[in-house]
Amino acid sequence: MDLGIAGRWALVCAASKGLGRGCALALAREGVNVVITARGEEALEATAAELRALNKGAVRTVAGDIVTPEGRKAALAAAPQIDILVTNAGGPPPGDFRDWDRDAWIAAIDANMLAPIELMKATVDAMAQRQFGRVVNITSGAVKAPIEMLGLSNGARGGLTGFVAGLARQKRLASANVTINNLLPGAFDTDRIRKTLSATAAKTGQPMEAVLAKRAEGIPAQRLGQAEEFGTMCAFLCSAQAGYLTGQNVLIDGGAYPGTF
Ligand SMILES: NC(=O)c1ccc[n+]([C@@H]2O[C@H](COP(=O)([O-])OP(=O)(O)OC[C@H]3O[C@@H](n4cnc5c(N)ncnc54)[C@H](OP(=O)(O)O)[C@@H]3O)[C@@H](O)[C@H]2O)c1
């Protein structure tokens, strides 16, 4: 299926690895020109080389922290216009809320709530003027079913989700073919999850494969998700065909969430 977005410009944040990379790859395959960002230059350039090897659209890199105003300014300036925005950043650390002070909360809110809001603020009105815009915020399945240890994520991403629910429904955006949706990952096989699971493996003395298998056991699909399949869903949400789909929270979790809705 041709998604009708070849030649569009996308900013995909935090995209040298993992889910952001999966989204950039899927968009680049559709012929979208992409700007990808990450703090570490080496992995960013390696991913850019893979995207360029597709011989589709332009690929630009911006090394910087998307959580800072300077990082966002540089990322936004790297494309002539932004038709597609994929917001993403690292997730907050796990822990107990009794140990988190104001600084810990501000850091989580900055990364997982305010940075995406600032990026949307900088882009959606111009999208509306051009009568096309797609925003996908990478959030978390924790928004729908909170994960106890990830209280900072539950809280900060919950705030973003509430904000997006209102913004996506602004008539000046929705009637101008600007859609804003959140894509909620369950457990995906990325560096982030492997780091967490390797800590469990080290603590329990179990081999990594056993810890991975145990993690997959609770998922009806009996496996972790792959970043490429996450990216495919992101590309569909960004497609020309998805113009009537806005303000939604799309969970992609192999059936892990146990509810009917
Ligand atoms: N994987 C899962 O199962 C899962 C589940 C639920 C939610 N999530 C959330 O989804 C997001 C992506 O997770 P992932 O698994 O793809 O992580 P990952 O594999 O660790 O990749 C994170 C990517 O983001 C970049 N990044 C991190 N912080 C950044 C910043 N401040 N500015 C710019 N780039 C930044 C990293 O590069 P640099 O480090 O070089 O900057 C890397 O490219 C996270 O917020 C995570 O909490 C993931």
Side-chain angles (χ1 to χ4, degrees):
M1 175 168 154
D2 178 357
L3 298 185
I5 46 177
R8 298 277 184 195
W9 276 93
L11 168 59
V12 187
C13 305
S16 66
K17 296 179 188 169
L19 304 178
R21 180 181 172 281
C23 295
L25 193 61
L27 290 168
R29 282 191 181 127
E30 290 299 317
V32 174
N33 303 306
V34 295
V35 175
I36 57 171
T37 87
R39 292 161 304 179
E41 216 160 343
E42 199 180 323
L44 184 64
E45 290 308 326
T47 293
E50 285 176 61
L51 300 182
R52 288 184 187 118
L54 297 170
N55 277 322
K56 297 274 191 164
V59 178
R60 297 183 184 171
T61 57
V62 178
D65 187 342
I66 205 68
V67 180
T68 64
E70 311 76 57
R72 286 192 291 276
K73 196 171 165 201
L76 290 163
Q81 66 187 51
I82 293 171
D83 306 306
I84 294 169
L85 169 67
V86 180
T87 75
N88 186 27
D96 186 317
F97 96 102
R98 292 163 190 83
D99 301 325
W100 298 327
D101 57 14
R102 180 177 166 76
D103 287 347
W105 275 106
I106 296 295
I109 290 166
D110 263 347
N112 299 116
M113 180 180 171
L114 297 181
I117 290 173
E118 289 290 342
L119 287 162
M120 288 186 276
K121 184 178 170 190
T123 52
V124 293
D125 288 338
M127 288 174 177
Q129 270 169 13
R130 294 191 300 270
Q131 295 286 304
F132 180 91
R134 299 286 182 262
V135 179
V136 175
N137 299 298
I138 299 180
T139 65
S140 172
V143 167
K144 224 171 135 93
I147 300 168
E148 192 188 328
M149 291 288 283
L150 292 178
L152 288 170
S153 173
N154 302 337
R157 296 189 206 271
L160 175 66
T161 305
F163 172 76
V164 164
L167 182 68
R169 288 167 176 85
Q170 281 193 358
K171 286 183 186 146
R172 63 193 278 195
L173 299 177
S175 72
N177 193 23
V178 176
T179 69
I180 310 178
N181 293 291
N182 302 320
L183 194 48
L184 284 55
F188 276 78
D189 191 356
T190 65
D191 277 10
R192 177 176 163 89
I193 209 160
R194 281 190 174 257
K195 220 161 116 188
T196 318
L197 295 181
S198 66
T200 310
K203 218 157 94 183
T204 59
Q206 287 176 283
M208 182 66 179
E209 286 319 308
V211 178
L212 272 170
K214 182 92 191 137
R215 182 70 183 81
E217 236 173 56
I219 302 168
Q222 298 288 286
R223 64 177 178 87
L224 301 187
Q226 295 300 317
E228 285 204 30
E229 53 195 337
F230 187 86
T232 304
M233 178 54 83
C234 175
F236 176 72
L237 292 175
C238 297
S239 70
Q241 292 89 336
Y244 205 52
L245 201 171
T246 195
Q248 300 304 305
N249 289 284
V250 179
L251 181 63
I252 174 163
D253 71 347
Y257 177 74
T260 304
F261 292 101

